[in-house]
Amino acid sequence: MATAEANHPAHRLELYPTMRLQRLGSIAVVQPVWRGEVAGPSLTCDLETGTLALAEHPKVDKGFTEVFGVLGLARLEAGPALVLVTGIEQVAELRGHPLYRVTATEVLADTRNSKWKAADHRFLKLLKSGTDPARYGGSLYVAYGGDPTLSQQRYEAAQADPRAAALQPWQRAAPDFFWNRSLAQPLLEAGLCRFVPPAFMGFAEQLRGLRLQGGTRQGEHVADITLIARRSLRRPGCRQWRRGADLEAAVANFVESEQLVVIDGGAVEASFVQVRGSIPLLWSQTPCLKYKIPIRIAPPARSDPVFAEHARQLIEGYGECVGINLANQSGREGKLSAAYADAARAFSAGSPGFRLEPFDFHKQCGATNYARLGLLWEAIEKDFRRFGYWFRDNAGTAQVQRGVFRTNCIDCLDRTNVVQGMLGKKHVEHVLQRLGLMPEGASLPQTFPEVDLAFRVMWADHGDEVSRQYAGTGAMKSAFTRTGKRDIWGLLDDGAKSLTRYYLNNFEDGHKQDALDLVTGGYPITPGKPAPFQPQGSPAVPLLLVAALLLLAWLNLQSLLTSSAGGGLLAVPPAALLQQVAAPLAAAAGALALIMKVGKNLVDRPMLLPGQAVPWH
């Protein structure tokens, strides 16, 4: 017979939503709490040895830190580091469970003993910055039910599988989107899975209670629209240091974006999934202080097999795929687009399921004429209707999504966001039209302008967040997504973001890349293996020299003009101009040319996995 204790709600929780952390010397105690009461044995972690255990512990009721999950345990050579979630905020409700954004984390380590060397402290600093929401660990999301790493279609398939009922949340989680999978492994192996919520990095926002009235269906109806982006931890990283594909066919900046529409509290549900990712070839574009960085492409004999494997993975995971390439079809980008087209053509000759649709965004739309996106829609509308989307209503109608759009530009951020937002709007319009809530052929802005405004803002937020994770700034062209207009203020905003990206790419992203590689497990710390940290050059001193020479030339010129007694530049002796102005300017130009020549040695480079920037060499 079941006991009252076994029937306590806490004992039916797959994941503990609230815990209390107490530090007892080198021992960290994490006690699950449910409605103020102890909900089960406590997790104990010895911060000297890394020993993990479950133990009965007196109720923690003072001197504690509230904890909302354990992201994992990093085993540094000198000792372990326990990573805890200490702050969350609800951003949505998914499948009846709150979905939370992580707002604060804490990393516990006992650094007092002599085993901690400089390299261990450096690894610890990377771990902290890689999990800190204010640094490189921003946009982590957790839930204590509802399997948030799964799209609705995959979730329903898992629910229909009787074997899934016996699985733990971490076993059901999508491996590619389980961001803390590597950190969590020591706890999962120790049977402590109830303390570890599978987290994903990306974006989540929800529009609730949208009023819909009109069309052929009588009465007022209410819609909730949720947008979720899940970033892949295969080939993770930041712009420039992670481009293209690796030898396992994983691509940089691969993000699955899912849009869920729920009408009248669940009477109708629809889910539409699309993906983005770097052009799936072996190519690179590594920082070197130049504003326009040369693009290097591996030979077709190396790239084509990688593309073929990537296409097969897409088809296996999503069904038929249409790749939308928004990169330029001429110039620097044009060579990459041509290689992409050749690889897609070679694959399609022997295998069905992948079609490439090139659309030169800059040529077609220019800086402001985004109405020409209608040409792209005409080219892919049949695919959109053929792929469909996951759908279910209370009348028993059901369908699944049978294909996916894979959109890219060069960064898979700015142009990509505009097109993905367009496809998202087409999905909402199609759902409302099939339900009779919107006239056939009408648009969302015409029929429900207030809903359209909120929808545009949500998609702009999505684009900005995905962009911040990869490039360090919000998305360019996001002003258009928010307002539907392209004006001078949007162009100025894009210019500021472009300059910020230049600075980050060259002077900060090496550290960011190392932090992401450590957190996601790309770089495993191996006892006895020397840490790969090396001194790095910096352009700071030579750039200061250039600035000093320019200042000297300007000051000398002002002095010469003053001494010319109002005669102007023509009254200054040519020899003086040559020696005091032209010579410093020439020296500055020469120094700047030298800096640019050796620029690749002066940027902030990643040290843990430097070869992944150009993985085919």
Side-chain angles (χ1 to χ4, degrees):
M1 179 179 291
T3 64
E5 181 182 357
N7 286 326
H8 191 283
H11 293 273
R12 298 198 296 271
L13 292 172
E14 288 190 307
L15 294 165
Y16 293 129
T18 54
M19 289 153 268
R20 291 175 177 176
L21 165 69
Q22 188 176 60
R23 181 82 178 264
L24 302 173
S26 65
I27 304 297
V29 177
V30 182
Q31 186 172 80
V33 176
W34 179 262
R35 295 174 182 170
E37 298 299 324
V38 178
S42 298
L43 179 161
T44 64
C45 176
D46 188 325
L47 296 175
E48 286 188 6
T49 65
T51 301
L52 295 165
L54 275 177
E56 299 296 335
H57 189 82
K59 182 181 178 181
V60 175
D61 55 9
K62 61 181 179 179
F64 64 84
T65 300
E66 196 168 14
V67 169
F68 303 98
V70 182
L71 289 180
L73 183 79
R75 295 193 183 278
L76 311 182
E77 186 162 10
L82 190 66
V83 187
L84 306 152
V85 176
T86 55
I88 55 175
E89 63 177 2
Q90 185 174 344
V91 294
E93 186 173 290
L94 181 66
R95 299 188 268 269
H97 297 272
L99 179 62
Y100 300 97
R101 178 172 180 159
V102 175
T103 59
T105 57
E106 184 173 347
V107 179
L108 294 183
D110 190 351
T111 62
R112 297 170 298 177
N113 64 62
S114 60
K115 293 188 295 183
W116 281 80
K117 308 299 182 186
D120 296 296
H121 285 284
R122 194 155 179 180
F123 278 126
L124 182 62
K125 185 177 179 180
L126 287 174
L127 179 65
K128 288 180 177 179
S129 62
T131 54
D132 182 357
R135 294 296 306 283
Y136 311 137
S139 301
L140 284 176
Y141 295 83
V142 297
Y144 307 107
D147 296 327
T149 65
L150 301 179
S151 67
Q152 186 69 27
Q153 184 160 310
R154 287 179 176 157
Y155 174 80
E156 295 293 340
Q159 292 294 299
D161 185 347
R163 295 170 297 179
L167 299 178
Q168 299 291 335
W170 69 271
Q171 294 170 316
R172 297 193 300 266
D176 287 358
F177 305 128
F178 185 176
W179 194 257
N180 58 321
R181 183 178 65 184
S182 176
L183 284 177
Q185 204 59 41
L187 291 107
L188 301 178
E189 291 173 353
L192 301 169
C193 55
R194 295 175 80 179
F195 294 86
V196 186
F200 70 90
M201 176 171 274
F203 171 83
E205 192 171 312
Q206 189 169 57
L207 304 177
R208 297 181 63 86
L210 300 172
R211 302 289 175 178
L212 306 174
Q213 190 168 15
T216 59
R217 181 175 287 198
Q218 296 297 315
E220 184 177 75
H221 300 270
V222 178
D224 298 332
I225 302 177
T226 307
L227 183 57
I228 297 175
R230 305 174 180 97
R231 176 174 294 278
S232 175
L233 55 80
R234 299 179 65 209
R235 196 157 173 74
C238 46
R239 183 177 179 257
Q240 309 298 10
W241 292 116
R242 289 294 182 272
R243 291 296 211 190
D246 62 19
L247 297 178
E248 284 72 46
V251 296
N253 201 25
F254 186 87
V255 181
E256 174 188 274
S257 294
E258 178 185 19
Q259 182 173 275
L260 295 128
V261 180
V262 177
I263 307 292
D264 295 339
V268 175
E269 297 176 275
S271 161
F272 177 62
V273 170
Q274 47 186 322
V275 299
R276 73 177 72 196
S278 194
I279 290 177
L281 303 174
L282 297 174
W283 65 281
S284 67
Q285 200 178 21
T286 53
C288 58
L289 294 182
K290 294 180 180 178
Y291 190 77
K292 288 187 176 290
I293 305 173
I295 295 174
R296 301 165 63 191
I297 311 172
R302 300 293 306 277
S303 262
D304 286 2
V306 170
F307 169 81
E309 177 57 25
H310 181 72
R312 283 191 288 268
Q313 291 174 8
L314 285 172
I315 293 166
E316 180 181 349
Y318 295 97
E320 188 180 347
C321 179
V322 170
I324 303 174
N325 178 25
L326 304 174
N328 298 346
Q329 300 298 304
S330 59
R332 294 185 317 133
E333 293 184 11
K335 295 179 181 179
L336 189 54
S337 291
Y340 187 10
D342 290 344
R345 194 177 302 113
F347 177 81
S348 300
S351 304
F354 187 95
R355 181 176 75 81
L356 183 62
E357 182 63 43
F359 183 82
D360 190 325
F361 189 101
H362 287 151
K363 181 179 179 180
Q364 295 291 343
C365 301
T368 58
N369 192 15
Y370 286 12
R372 290 182 64 83
L373 287 171
L375 298 174
L376 174 61
W377 173 243
E378 290 176 5
I380 62 174
E381 182 177 6
K382 290 182 180 178
D383 301 300
F384 178 86
R385 297 187 180 279
R386 187 173 72 257
F387 293 168
Y389 45 86
W390 183 89
F391 181 87
R392 181 175 62 195
D393 64 18
N394 56 10
T397 306
Q399 71 178 56
V400 296
Q401 185 171 335
R402 295 180 295 276
V404 72
F405 291 103
R406 182 201 190 280
T407 307
N408 73 268
C409 40
I410 288 296
D411 296 327
C412 307
L413 297 175
D414 313 316
R415 290 167 277 183
T416 295
N417 290 328
V418 173
V419 169
Q420 284 201 333
M422 177 190 75
L423 292 175
K425 186 171 293 187
K426 294 295 184 182
H427 167 239
V428 171
E429 290 172 346
H430 193 275
V431 171
L432 298 183
Q433 287 168 1
R434 78 183 286 174
L435 297 176
L437 295 173
M438 199 165 85
E440 197 72 31
S443 69
L444 193 64
Q446 294 170 335
T447 313
F448 302 114
E450 292 182 357
V451 173
D452 179 67
L453 174 60
F455 181 85
R456 287 201 312 265
V457 170
M458 179 175 68
W459 265 95
D461 291 344
H462 161 274
D464 282 344
E465 195 55 53
V466 170
S467 179
R468 271 188 284 270
Q469 293 158 23
Y470 188 55
T473 74
M476 295 194 285
K477 301 177 176 62
S478 64
F480 170 79
T481 309
R482 290 183 188 279
T483 66
K485 300 176 183 178
R486 187 72 168 147
D487 55 23
I488 185 62
W489 300 113
L491 295 173
L492 291 173
D493 181 58
D494 287 355
K497 289 173 179 174
S498 183
L499 290 173
T500 302
R501 288 181 183 181
Y502 172 81
Y503 170 80
L504 294 172
N505 295 163
N506 286 284
F507 306 123
E508 287 195 20
D509 279 354
H511 284 78
K512 178 179 178 180
Q513 185 63 60
D514 282 341
L516 294 175
D517 286 334
L518 182 64
V519 168
T520 57
Y523 180 87
I525 297 174
T526 306
K529 179 182 177 181
F533 301 120
Q534 299 290 335
Q536 292 207 54
S538 169
V541 173
L543 286 175
L544 284 175
L545 174 62
V546 171
L549 289 169
L550 292 174
L551 178 61
L552 177 63
W554 185 81
L555 292 174
N556 286 345
L557 178 61
Q558 296 302 310
S559 176
L560 291 171
L561 290 174
T562 301
S563 62
S564 69
L569 191 61
L570 294 177
V572 177
L577 277 175
L578 183 64
Q579 293 174 1
Q580 298 184 48
V581 179
L585 287 176
L592 188 59
L594 181 61
I595 291 170
M596 299 308 291
K597 185 175 181 179
V598 298
K600 65 180 181 180
N601 299 316
L602 299 176
V603 298
D604 182 37
R605 306 186 309 276
M607 296 188 187
L608 300 188
L609 296 172
Q612 278 298 308
V614 190
W616 69 93
H617 283 185

